[in-house]
Amino acid sequence: LIQLFRPLDMLGMVYRTVRQGLIDMAEMFRLIDTETEVKDAPAAPALVVRQPTVVFDDVHFGYEPDREILHGLSFEVPAGKHVAIVGPSGAGKSTIGRLLFRFYDPWQGRILIDGQDIAQVTQASLRESIGIVPQDSVLFNDTIGYNIAYGRGGASREAVVAAAADASIMPFIERLPDGLDTEVGERGLKLSGGEKQRVAIARTLVKNPPILLLDEATSALDSRTEQEILATLHRVSEDRTTLAIAHRLSTIADADRILVLDQGRLAESGTHAELLQARGLYAEMWARQQAERSD
Ligand code: ATP
């Protein structure tokens, strides 16, 4: 009976959070048989990732036919590099993440991973290769081990422990009465924002994806916890191609490249130092956020 109700339980929780952006879209696709707008091409091959380079090539996209949101966006995230996207609210940052995960197809232009058009490969293989660390994760009413293993169906206990250790949540789990078998969520232990975030990171790591999509992964945390989580994310994204969508600039100042998006167009790009020197939109946003911080 529990097996029967578990999907319903999850569905409720997923439903409550679906609207918040990139939140656990992989889970949502897996759980709900939605009529999505995108379909696999007939006899589509699987995505094969050797050099996980991500390319947006002249991408035009809008949610409604008469309102284009991205106006011919082109950029590259070289394999293993860390690129951050910043920009004012409504600029289209989260939209880029949704397109990369192929929640929608571009109106025009292409998105390539390792030279393959993501619209031409199976959605399952695409989503397998991208790990999302969302703003706020869905935790299921189940054990902490189950919540981590959920990143990859059939993950072994060893893989779960390794991912938990990598996400620096193992010391916390070891202190729990039943370790990995401790129940969490509405029926069990309540986790703090930072602990939830680490479970989400472990869940992503258990997939071992070559590409990471970080959606302002630390927004709901106090500054000390935020610093600790950032250090963990920094470590786990070292060998992975990483696209970070950020609202606060302090979290991405060390990115290899920062793209500044404004009203669906690339306004500027460069390193933190280069952008400060350019005295453009980024420098303005940086000055504003520094002033807010000191207040
Ligand atoms: P924020 O920093 O506020 O999160 P953002 O840069 O991530 O903003 P997006 O969420 O990508 O911006 O939204 C870009 C534009 O697309 C906005 O004008 C938004 O209103 C619109 N938009 C986003 N999602 C949808 C949707 N599902 N249907 C229609 N319009 C949408």
Side-chain angles (χ1 to χ4, degrees), residues 63-64 67 69 88-95 98 104 247:
Y63 296 92
E64 290 141 13
R67 187 169 167 234
I69 301 285
S89 180
K93 303 182 292 294
S94 303
T95 303
R98 293 181 197 124
Y104 306 95
H247 296 89

Side-chain angles (χ1 to χ4, degrees), residues 112-222:
L112 307 166
I113 293 180
D114 197 0
Q116 298 146 78
D117 185 338
I118 65 167
Q120 302 300 325
V121 298
T122 62
Q123 293 169 65
S125 65
L126 170 70
R127 292 184 186 128
E128 200 62 359
S129 66
I130 304 173
I132 297 183
V133 181
Q135 292 187 19
D136 191 8
S137 268
V138 180
L139 285 192
F140 303 121
N141 273 332
D142 207 301
T143 65
I144 197 158
Y146 175 90
N147 271 284
I148 294 172
Y150 200 73
R152 193 183 81 207
S156 68
R157 190 93 170 169
E158 289 72 39
V160 168
V161 169
D166 245 5
S168 306
I169 188 146
M170 214 46 220
F172 167 78
I173 293 174
E174 278 164 353
R175 286 197 301 273
L176 297 175
D178 297 316
L180 279 171
D181 299 320
T182 307
E183 293 277 332
V184 297
E186 284 170 12
R187 287 199 300 259
L189 181 78
K190 292 271 181 286
L191 297 181
S192 73
E195 290 150 5
K196 268 180 74 174
Q197 201 48 257
R198 289 189 186 283
V199 170
I201 295 170
R203 182 187 284 171
T204 301
L205 293 181
V206 95
K207 271 174 74 173
N208 198 19
I211 298 165
L212 279 182
L213 182 55
L214 309 181
D215 183 21
E216 181 89 301
T218 57
S219 54
L221 307 172
D222 63 72

